[in-house]
Amino acid sequence: MEWNEEQLERYSRHILLQDVGVEGQEKICKAKVLVIGAGGLGSPVAFYLAAAGVGEIGIVDGDMVDRSNLQRQIIHTTTEIGTPKVQSAKLKMLALNPEIKVTTYQEMLYANNILDIIAPYDFVVDGTDNFAAKFLINDACVLANKTYSHGGILRFGGQTMNVKPYQSACYACVFDRPPPKNSVPTCSNAGILGAVAGMLGTIQATEILKMILNIGEPLFNSLLSFDSKTMFFRKIILKKNPQCRVCGTNPIKSLSDYEEIACDIKKSCS
């Protein structure tokens, strides 16, 4: 692609990097990434991917901006309370970088629509905050062979891993099935330190850029967790489960919704 002076200036700090350069920036500008959730995790992910110049970014969220979101969901502002999160996010992303394309999906994800939504994208980011959504996203990405980044936050900590279907451990390889409903606390009833969402979301954005550029060691077969109170980071080595019910020797052939409402972003605080 041909670069004009404004583009070269905008992306100059990327282009200076030995592992990126003009060729790497071109990969970023041609990439397509879907961010599921425009909340605490989706905010920094979407913002940094837009800043980086990711050519097409899709953002999924069925919720409206609420005052309680503003403590951590930094892509939204007080004046946008009551407006769709996807529209609020799109406005900021295009204000930051008008060269990119932003596609919005103001809806919740179910087994009957998720495959169509993720189909156009190279990578998917899970920024949701309920287990039904996370398992559905994992299943859909495995079935569609889409590499994705998982993220989860609670109280003062977070965790993330990348999944490359059939090559690395998937979410179900590690956690198998969702826990019983209401058996595990969520941000909405246990709380979250706002900056923790920014910490993990920034890590997820970094992982997506690494995968686009094919550099470094992305978090495949690794679960990175941290405790912000002690700033202790731990990387757990994972192994693909040959008997995994999703990606094992007898992989899934279709999708179904889990017990909870799939991707009920209206109940999400991530």
Side-chain angles (χ1 to χ4, degrees):
M1 59 183 292
E2 295 184 5
W3 300 88
N4 59 43
E5 290 186 8
E6 289 184 358
Q7 290 172 319
L8 290 172
E9 183 179 6
R10 177 184 291 273
Y11 304 120
S12 62
R13 299 308 188 271
H14 274 176
I15 293 170
L16 288 170
L17 291 170
Q18 184 175 358
D19 288 339
V20 182
V22 172
E23 183 179 338
Q25 186 59 49
E26 186 169 346
K27 290 180 181 178
I28 294 172
C29 290
K30 290 181 177 179
K32 299 179 180 180
V33 180
L34 179 70
V35 181
I36 303 178
L41 296 179
S43 290
V45 171
F47 234 177
Y48 270 110
L49 294 183
V54 170
E56 183 171 344
I57 304 172
I59 190 155
V60 185
D61 200 308
D63 203 1
M64 305 291 182
V65 178
D66 183 82
R67 194 178 305 276
S68 66
N69 302 147
L70 303 180
Q71 161 256 12
R72 65 202 170 278
Q73 299 181 15
I74 59 171
I75 208 165
H76 311 300
T77 64
T78 302
T79 59
E80 289 162 322
I81 291 173
T83 64
K85 286 186 180 180
V86 291
Q87 294 301 324
S88 169
K90 179 178 181 178
L91 183 68
K92 312 311 185 316
M93 293 160 70
L94 291 178
L96 179 63
N97 191 346
E99 296 183 348
I100 66 171
K101 177 181 178 181
V102 179
T103 303
T104 60
Y105 304 87
Q106 190 185 346
E107 56 188 297
M108 296 187 293
L109 296 183
Y110 298 96
N112 62 7
N113 68 354
I114 188 170
L115 290 175
D116 288 337
I117 290 175
I118 69 175
Y121 297 93
D122 304 317
F123 300 94
V124 176
V125 179
D126 167 21
T128 64
D129 186 42
N130 69 79
F131 287 105
K134 294 186 179 304
F135 278 92
L136 178 63
I137 292 167
N138 178 78
D139 294 2
C141 287
V142 168
L143 193 60
N145 200 20
K146 300 283 184 180
T147 299
Y148 86 96
S149 168
H150 151 78
I153 50 176
L154 185 67
R155 298 190 178 107
F156 296 93
Q159 66 177 31
T160 183
M161 62 183 283
N162 299 329
V163 175
K164 182 176 288 188
Y166 306 110
Q167 297 184 46
S168 72
C170 81
Y171 191 68
C173 285
V174 182
F175 300 105
D176 189 32
R177 296 178 185 275
K181 191 174 182 178
N182 299 323
S183 66
V184 178
T186 64
C187 295
S188 57
N189 56 39
I192 176 70
L193 187 69
V196 167
M199 290 174 64
L200 190 67
T202 303
I203 291 173
Q204 287 187 276
T206 303
E207 288 295 299
I208 290 294
L209 292 172
K210 285 163 56 181
M211 290 187 283
I212 292 171
L213 293 166
N214 193 26
I215 61 172
E217 299 179 6
L219 291 169
F220 296 119
N221 291 319
S222 298
L223 180 70
L224 179 69
S225 64
F226 68 85
D227 179 349
S228 67
K229 290 197 291 185
T230 60
M231 281 301 169
F232 177 74
F233 283 72
R234 180 185 183 192
K235 184 186 288 187
I236 302 170
I237 303 303
L238 308 173
K239 290 185 179 180
K240 189 178 184 301
N241 178 9
Q243 304 305 315
C244 175
R245 62 183 180 82
V246 175
C247 72
T249 53
N250 185 28
I252 58 172
K253 301 294 192 296
S254 61
L255 298 178
S256 59
D257 292 318
Y258 286 86
E259 180 180 352
E260 297 176 43
I261 297 176
C263 203
D264 188 354
I265 300 175
K266 292 182 178 179
K267 295 181 180 179
S268 167
C269 79
S270 69

